[in-house]
């Protein structure tokens, strides 16, 4: 029975890690966080890969978890302070390439959370692409992710010893 349990756990972990995929756009390793459980705002991060031969653009996002969902980036103001600002034109996702939404950079912003972000919960976010159209992604809430690392799910992907790191 323990073998069966182990296999089931492994399959569950595997399906959890499968990337969302639609129309050649792939979302890799998404996660969302708020600065605190009762915070009024949160953000989502992920890697967006464009496996088509057409340049695309993430132009909007929406979700029931917040009153407003915006595409944000960080810019340094005149005083050297990093501030968030909305990017109305969205994020270019080049053909055959990708674009990373990451802490301290571009992100999907949730303003006016309708519920607290609890670690381990999942939220649904619809990403709207200029070419690929709409794509709904289930995003785990991860309040423990180290911003400077690839994340706690690094085991089992066979890339731990590689020199490649971004
Ligand atoms: Cu923001």
């Amino acid at each position: 029975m323990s073998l069966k349990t182990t296999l089931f756990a492994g399959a569950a972990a595997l399906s959890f890690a499968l990337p969302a995929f639609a129309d050649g756009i792939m979302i890799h390793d998404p996660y969302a966080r708020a600065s605190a459980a009762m915070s009024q705002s949160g953000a989502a991060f992920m890697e967006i890969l464009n496996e088509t031969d057409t340049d695309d653009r993430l132009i909007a996002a929406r979700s029931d978890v917040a009153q407003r969902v915006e595409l944000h980036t960080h810019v340094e103001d005149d005083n050297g302070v990093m501030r968030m600002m909305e990017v109305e034109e969205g994020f270019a996702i080049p053909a055959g390439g990708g674009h990373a939404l990451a802490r301290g950079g571009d992100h999907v912003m949730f303003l006016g959370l309708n519920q607290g972000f609890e670690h381990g919960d999942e939220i649904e976010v619809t990403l709207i692409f200029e070419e690929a159209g709409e794509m709904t992604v289930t995003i785990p809430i991860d309040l423990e992710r180290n911003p400077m690392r690839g994340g706690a799910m690094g085991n089992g992907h066979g890339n731990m010893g590689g020199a490649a790191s971004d």
Side-chain angles (χ1 to χ4, degrees), residues 7 26 71 102 104 109 115 119 122 125-126 150 157:
L7 285 173
M26 191 159 70
L71 302 179
M109 188 80 195
Q115 63 196 64
H119 183 74
E122 291 181 334
V125 178
T126 299
H157 288 286

Side-chain angles (χ1 to χ4, degrees), residues 65-142:
V65 300
Q67 284 151 41
R68 271 166 49 220
V69 183
E70 297 179 352
L71 302 179
H72 275 196
T73 193
H74 281 88
V75 291
E76 191 174 338
D77 71 11
D78 293 341
N79 299 316
V81 177
M82 296 302 282
R83 295 187 187 284
M84 295 194 300
M85 61 175 284
E86 187 174 9
V87 183
E88 300 208 6
E89 72 274 19
F91 308 130
I93 319 290
H99 186 81
L101 307 187
R103 306 266 279 275
D106 298 340
H107 54 279
V108 176
M109 188 80 195
F110 307 107
L111 296 166
L113 296 184
N114 296 321
Q115 63 196 64
F117 275 11
E118 303 276 355
H119 183 74
D121 280 0
E122 291 181 334
I123 61 173
E124 292 219 328
V125 178
T126 299
L127 303 174
I128 301 155
F129 294 92
E130 205 167 58
E131 299 293 332
E134 298 192 359
M135 177 175 180
T136 298
V137 185
T138 300
I139 300 179
I141 293 172
D142 186 346

Side-chain angles (χ1 to χ4, degrees), residues 16-36:
F16 187 76
L18 280 177
F21 185 86
D23 294 333
I25 296 287
M26 191 159 70
I27 305 299
H28 180 68
D29 193 25
Y31 72 101
R33 68 188 305 276
S35 51

Side-chain angles (χ1 to χ4, degrees), residues 56-70:
D56 209 335
R57 182 172 284 275
L58 177 64
I59 51 174
R62 66 167 185 268
S63 176
D64 291 338
V65 300
Q67 284 151 41
R68 271 166 49 220
V69 183
E70 297 179 352

Side-chain angles (χ1 to χ4, degrees), residues 144-155:
E144 297 172 357
R145 180 83 66 118
N146 183 327
M148 305 310 289
R149 294 282 187 109
M153 290 175 61
N155 289 321

